[in-house]
Amino acid sequence: MMYIQPDECINCGICVSVCPVEAIYEDVEVPAAEQAFVAANVEFFSADVTGWGKPGGTSPRHVSTLDHPLVRAFPAGKK
Ligand code: SF4
């Protein structure tokens, strides 16, 4: 899973338009059933998961085998 740092996202919408599985929503349009992922994206960057805080954009240095517990709990391949 790719995580979005909500404080750094500028809501340009490019990722929404290119995601092949339509898994990205603008924060104000996240369906009720997917709301837990809003917090998961925030928490991924916290000390509870990666501790990256605000990494300043994407880079090869910010690739991790860590996942938020909500995501880790999903069976592999479930959509
Ligand atoms: S590409 Fe997506 S995550 Fe990145 S700034 Fe634009 S809307 Fe935010």
Side-chain angles (χ1 to χ4, degrees), residues 4 8-16 24:
I4 296 172
E8 294 186 343
C9 173
I10 59 171
N11 292 321
C12 71
I14 291 175
C15 58
V16 176
I24 304 174

Side-chain angles (χ1 to χ4, degrees), residues 27-43:
D27 53 359
V28 294
E29 296 179 351
V30 177
E34 309 287 344
Q35 282 291 323
F37 288 97
V38 174
N41 276 266
V42 172
E43 293 163 8

Side-chain angles (χ1 to χ4, degrees), residues 28 36 40 49 51-52 56 60 62 70 76-77:
V28 294
V49 185
W52 289 343
H62 295 107
L70 174 72

